Amino acid sequence: VSTLSWKGSIFLLTDFGNSDEFAGVLRAVAAREAPGARVVDISHEVPPFDVRVGALMLERSVPHMGPGVVVTVVDPGVGSDRRAVAMSVRSSDGPGFLVGPDNGVLSFATEVLGGADSAVVIPPARWRPDAGATFDGRDVFVPAAARLWSGVALAEIGTTIDPATLVRLPPPQLEVLPGELKAEVLWVDRFGNVQLAAGPSDFEVAGLGHQLWVSRSSSSTTPQAVNAHAAKASSSFDVGDSLGLITDSNARVALVRQQGSAATVLAVKEGDVVVITDRRPPS
Amino acid sequence: VSTLSWKGSIFLLTDFGNSDEFAGVLRAVAAREAPGARVVDISHEVPPFDVRVGALMLERSVPHMGPGVVVTVVDPGVGSDRRAVAMSVRSSDGPGFLVGPDNGVLSFATEVLGGADSAVVIPPARWRPDAGATFDGRDVFVPAAARLWSGVALAEIGTTIDPATLVRLPPPQLEVLPGELKAEVLWVDRFGNVQLAAGPSDFEVAGLGHQLWVSRSSSSTTPQAVNAHAAKASSSFDVGDSLGLITDSNARVALVRQQGSAATVLAVKEGDVVVITDRRPPS
Amino acid sequence: VSTLSWKGSIFLLTDFGNSDEFAGVLRAVAAREAPGARVVDISHEVPPFDVRVGALMLERSVPHMGPGVVVTVVDPGVGSDRRAVAMSVRSSDGPGFLVGPDNGVLSFATEVLGGADSAVVIPPARWRPDAGATFDGRDVFVPAAARLWSGVALAEIGTTIDPATLVRLPPPQLEVLPGELKAEVLWVDRFGNVQLAAGPSDFEVAGLGHQLWVSRSSSSTTPQAVNAHAAKASSSFDVGDSLGLITDSNARVALVRQQGSAATVLAVKEGDVVVITDRRPPS
């Protein structure tokens, strides 16, 4: 990683919410420590302590970022001995550095960006000797990101560690069988679209056709019909008025309804597993 | 429209919410495609798919913007054959360009800005060949806005169309009679203020005086008294403790309560029609 | 205060929410009136009209801001004869100016910043002669802040007043007795942490030890045990699985649970008073 001065953004993704001043204080500290940096809020509404949801949001976001440093704080272990880390990534496209707790929240994005090139543990810091260590976003992560943004070398930010020791989350659940596919629900978005841990090619491998049935894995309710021009459709308008499958904007397969919530119809939430089959259920 | 380089902001108004990363990705793409641009979030909390509410928010916002390009994405038809459009406006004051779906969401603001000078249809774009066309904010609208911000001529962004073909929303409902006024509720804000599709002059034309009665058009409940020093009052303090009428900060007439919600008292919501009269209801 | 041009941010803290365009219009006006200024949102989710909560958020935020002008709008009295004020502060570190309504919302932060050096009343302003005076954030406070940011002298912004006449909120409730401490709940954050109007030294003065009991002042329920390595612990991990006391990131004492909500367990909200004692309740 070059230590030459370079320009880019400081990106922020946290579970701090927008009601308290937490996110605002991060923005203020970034502005103070890196007065020339653009600060880009990705979101502060990761559900509290939900490392997996944060990791998935980050994975979906990094391909669209320009150069810069990404700070991700979803940190149920703040104040414990979990490590605070910063890493440079292999991809020369997009953000060059990721900063956050070493609890797996960075792991999916790291993989998207080609893996970690090198990594360091950031030492604790306190803004006042008498204040507690409960706000590492403000006291550790953003200050470290500001230094990286300013061109300070990664090795000067902390103690070098083997990137192979960085915590990784288990991969999303996906099982592809002939005529059947079981996939984790990765994301239910504001509009009720249900993103699955599967791509169009997984449907091809399973040999799934145009008329499918979907149900929640743990549910005993009757599977619902799905219009599966599916993995080939590219918008909810291609599936008409029924429940449909499309390839979404992250190149994953999603269950959708036209201007309606597929999640409500299916009664699924993030982390559930759905079963999709071409075998018509007994009626 | 001059193609000279000029500076200004990229303004964002969407129904994407703040919980997912949608709005954050728009900000990231704007930063990547127009590194020198200031990005100003107007709001991302337009109710999902509510084109009319989005159009009214944009109409109220544009008079306060400086130069720049406005991207508005309230787009229930994403993925259908609705057109993606960009236009330059006649007013030389404020933002020079509006970008968004051609579903009417831009129409009220276009009128406020003096009408469209010229307009183009923006061609579809995909960030990855294998990804779906469900996120035009990221893939079409913000990239187009970034090019306009950078000084690219409107005609180079897409195919020129006749501005007269741009979709317009029906105007707000307003009926002014002697001693009576029926007006659409345009906006119930966070504080419960009820903005009407009427200005102070409409009350003058109707000959409405200082003591009025208001009810929801479709309601059979007894009309409620309104202190209508009204259209001339300029704050809720001028109406005392009762329900009052004031001229609000958009120069429209609003039903208000001092530090309370007029919307709750009246049980009205956006899109309702209220009837205001000077005839005391039978008791 | 020097009138030399200087750089910094315009910070925004309001109760406008993020659903309407209010906050977005403030950002747009700041961008238009001070095109070179960075605009930093602290939060727009102060509960509507809650001056005290806004004052506490501002107090906690200002120590982390760099140079600039802070605009705070929590303003139940907009349109009344309450004063609109701007002041310069004594501290040369951090923001140099505070702008907002003179209702006490600035008072705690002013004290943190060393007190007001000088102050002015800002005259009313209207963006259109026919519009009401209900949006001083847009029409008065942000334009004044933009002028201060641009280097205009405070005395040119309005009429000089004696800083001693600025409205102050009553200090938080705190009573320290031998073996007992009564303290106001200043803040219940998104994670359910309960910040008290007490610091670690108050616990020392009260002679409170390691095993304490806490209850809501007005409640008749049995006090709950608290692990009070307490005021000396610096994260929820130091208190184990029980309810604990830590010194939080603002150097105040907070009631916490590890990855859980202390506020829910204690059934307390902001403004409540809790009693903490070392006397075991009768069982």
Side-chain angles (χ1 to χ4, degrees):
Chain A
V1 178
S2 162
T3 57
L4 288 178
S5 174
W6 57 286
K7 293 303 169 192
S9 302
I10 295 177
F11 301 93
L12 303 176
L13 175 66
T14 78
D15 66 347
F16 290 165
N18 290 301
S19 298
D20 299 302
E21 75 275 12
F22 293 127
V25 167
L26 292 198
R27 289 185 283 262
V29 171
R32 192 191 66 203
E33 300 295 317
R38 177 196 292 267
V39 179
V40 177
D41 296 292
I42 298 301
S43 175
H44 298 285
E45 295 287 356
V46 175
F49 304 136
D50 198 328
V51 172
R52 189 168 187 85
V53 165
L56 290 165
M57 287 178 74
L58 188 61
E59 180 188 16
R60 292 190 302 264
S61 302
V62 288
H64 307 287
M65 296 177 182
V69 183
V70 188
V71 177
T72 306
V73 194
V74 183
D75 195 11
V78 66
S80 73
D81 56 3
R82 69 96 184 91
R83 303 186 295 189
V85 294
M87 70 187 79
S88 62
V89 297
R90 293 218 177 85
S91 169
S92 59
D93 198 29
F97 300 95
L98 303 180
V99 177
D102 184 28
N103 59 12
V105 73
L106 308 177
S107 62
F108 296 151
T110 305
E111 199 167 330
V112 165
L113 295 168
D117 193 46
S118 54
V120 298
V121 167
I122 314 169
R126 299 233 181 140
W127 80 280
R128 281 171 58 174
D130 61 341
T134 60
F135 196 177
D136 277 0
R138 179 192 74 189
D139 300 334
V140 175
F141 297 123
V142 167
R147 295 182 70 200
L148 289 169
W149 184 89
S150 304
V152 174
L154 186 65
E156 291 183 37
I157 298 294
T159 309
T160 300
I161 58 171
D162 180 354
T165 68
L166 291 166
V167 172
R168 295 179 187 208
L169 297 185
Q173 295 179 58
L174 173 64
E175 200 176 337
V176 181
L177 302 168
E180 185 175 286
L181 187 144
K182 293 184 186 179
E184 184 178 332
V185 172
L186 298 183
W187 183 26
V188 174
D189 71 18
R190 168 176 170 95
F191 302 98
N193 302 310
V194 177
Q195 186 181 68
L196 302 179
S201 61
D202 297 310
F203 280 73
E204 282 176 28
V205 169
L208 290 169
H210 286 338
Q211 185 58 43
L212 304 176
W213 283 264
V214 63
S215 57
R216 191 149 44 93
S217 173
S218 57
S219 164
S220 60
T221 56
T222 306
Q224 304 198 39
V226 181
N227 182 342
H229 286 277
K232 277 144 208 155
S234 66
S235 90
S236 63
F237 277 84
D238 295 329
V239 299
D241 289 338
S242 59
L243 200 59
L245 278 171
I246 65 165
T247 300
D248 75 4
S249 62
N250 300 118
R252 284 183 177 134
V253 172
L255 290 152
V256 300
R257 287 188 70 208
Q258 194 175 308
Q259 295 185 39
S261 169
T264 302
V265 168
L266 291 163
V268 297
K269 59 181 190 312
E270 289 160 5
D272 284 346
V273 171
V274 298
V275 181
I276 297 176
T277 170
D278 58 6
R279 287 181 291 275
R280 178 186 291 271
S283 57
Chain B
V1 177
S2 163
T3 58
L4 288 178
S5 174
W6 58 285
K7 294 302 169 195
S9 302
I10 295 177
F11 301 93
L12 303 176
L13 174 65
T14 78
D15 66 347
F16 290 164
N18 290 301
S19 298
D20 300 301
E21 75 275 13
F22 293 126
V25 168
L26 291 198
R27 289 185 283 264
V29 171
R32 192 190 66 203
E33 301 294 317
R38 176 196 293 266
V39 179
V40 177
D41 296 292
I42 297 302
S43 174
H44 297 285
E45 296 288 357
V46 175
F49 304 137
D50 198 328
V51 172
R52 189 168 187 85
V53 165
L56 290 165
M57 289 179 72
L58 188 61
E59 179 188 16
R60 292 191 300 265
S61 301
V62 289
H64 307 287
M65 296 177 182
V69 183
V70 187
V71 177
T72 306
V73 194
V74 184
D75 194 12
V78 65
S80 73
D81 56 3
R82 69 93 186 91
R83 303 186 296 188
V85 295
M87 71 187 80
S88 61
V89 297
R90 293 217 176 86
S91 169
S92 60
D93 199 27
F97 299 94
L98 303 180
V99 177
D102 184 28
N103 59 13
V105 73
L106 309 176
S107 62
F108 295 151
T110 304
E111 198 167 332
V112 164
L113 295 168
D117 193 45
S118 54
V120 298
V121 167
I122 313 169
R126 301 234 180 137
W127 78 281
R128 280 171 59 175
D130 61 342
T134 59
F135 197 177
D136 277 359
R138 179 192 75 190
D139 300 334
V140 175
F141 296 122
V142 167
R147 295 183 70 202
L148 289 170
W149 184 89
S150 304
V152 174
L154 185 66
E156 291 182 37
I157 297 294
T159 308
T160 299
I161 57 171
D162 179 354
T165 67
L166 292 167
V167 172
R168 295 179 188 209
L169 297 185
Q173 295 178 60
L174 173 64
E175 199 175 339
V176 181
L177 302 169
E180 185 175 286
L181 188 145
K182 294 184 186 178
E184 184 178 333
V185 172
L186 297 183
W187 183 26
V188 174
D189 71 18
R190 168 176 170 94
F191 303 98
N193 302 310
V194 177
Q195 185 181 68
L196 302 180
S201 62
D202 297 310
F203 280 72
E204 282 177 28
V205 169
L208 291 169
H210 287 338
Q211 186 59 43
L212 304 176
W213 284 264
V214 62
S215 58
R216 190 150 44 92
S217 173
S218 56
S219 165
S220 59
T221 55
T222 306
Q224 303 197 39
V226 181
N227 182 341
H229 287 278
K232 276 142 208 157
S234 67
S235 90
S236 64
F237 278 83
D238 296 329
V239 299
D241 289 339
S242 59
L243 199 60
L245 277 172
I246 66 166
T247 300
D248 75 4
S249 63
N250 300 119
R252 284 183 177 135
V253 171
L255 289 152
V256 300
R257 287 188 70 209
Q258 194 175 308
Q259 296 183 40
S261 169
T264 302
V265 168
L266 291 164
V268 295
K269 58 181 193 310
E270 289 160 3
D272 284 347
V273 171
V274 297
V275 180
I276 297 177
T277 168
D278 57 6
R279 287 182 290 275
R280 178 187 293 271
S283 58
Chain C
V1 177
S2 162
T3 58
L4 287 177
S5 174
W6 57 286
K7 294 302 169 195
S9 302
I10 295 176
F11 301 93
L12 303 177
L13 174 65
T14 78
D15 66 347
F16 291 165
N18 290 301
S19 298
D20 299 303
E21 76 275 12
F22 293 127
V25 166
L26 291 198
R27 289 186 282 263
V29 171
R32 192 191 65 202
E33 300 294 317
R38 178 196 291 267
V39 179
V40 177
D41 296 292
I42 296 303
S43 175
H44 297 286
E45 296 286 357
V46 175
F49 304 137
D50 198 329
V51 172
R52 190 167 187 86
V53 165
L56 290 165
M57 289 178 73
L58 188 62
E59 180 188 15
R60 293 191 301 264
S61 302
V62 289
H64 308 287
M65 297 177 182
V69 183
V70 187
V71 177
T72 306
V73 193
V74 184
D75 194 11
V78 65
S80 73
D81 56 3
R82 69 94 186 91
R83 302 187 296 187
V85 294
M87 70 187 80
S88 61
V89 296
R90 292 218 177 84
S91 170
S92 60
D93 200 29
F97 299 94
L98 303 180
V99 177
D102 184 28
N103 59 13
V105 72
L106 308 176
S107 62
F108 296 151
T110 304
E111 200 168 329
V112 164
L113 295 169
D117 193 45
S118 55
V120 298
V121 167
I122 314 169
R126 299 235 180 136
W127 78 281
R128 279 170 61 175
D130 60 341
T134 60
F135 196 176
D136 277 0
R138 179 192 74 190
D139 300 333
V140 175
F141 296 123
V142 167
R147 296 182 69 200
L148 290 169
W149 184 90
S150 304
V152 173
L154 186 65
E156 291 182 37
I157 298 293
T159 309
T160 300
I161 57 171
D162 179 355
T165 67
L166 292 167
V167 173
R168 294 178 189 211
L169 297 185
Q173 294 179 61
L174 173 64
E175 200 174 338
V176 180
L177 302 168
E180 185 175 286
L181 188 143
K182 293 183 187 178
E184 184 178 333
V185 172
L186 297 183
W187 182 26
V188 174
D189 72 18
R190 168 176 170 94
F191 303 99
N193 301 310
V194 177
Q195 186 181 68
L196 302 180
S201 61
D202 297 310
F203 280 72
E204 282 176 28
V205 170
L208 290 170
H210 286 338
Q211 186 59 43
L212 304 177
W213 285 265
V214 63
S215 58
R216 191 148 44 94
S217 173
S218 56
S219 164
S220 60
T221 56
T222 306
Q224 304 198 38
V226 180
N227 182 343
H229 287 277
K232 277 142 207 156
S234 66
S235 89
S236 64
F237 278 83
D238 295 329
V239 298
D241 289 338
S242 59
L243 200 60
L245 276 172
I246 66 165
T247 301
D248 75 5
S249 62
N250 300 119
R252 285 185 176 133
V253 172
L255 290 153
V256 301
R257 289 187 69 208
Q258 194 176 306
Q259 297 183 39
S261 170
T264 302
V265 169
L266 291 163
V268 296
K269 59 182 192 311
E270 288 160 5
D272 284 347
V273 171
V274 297
V275 180
I276 297 176
T277 169
D278 58 6
R279 287 181 290 275
R280 177 185 293 271
S283 57

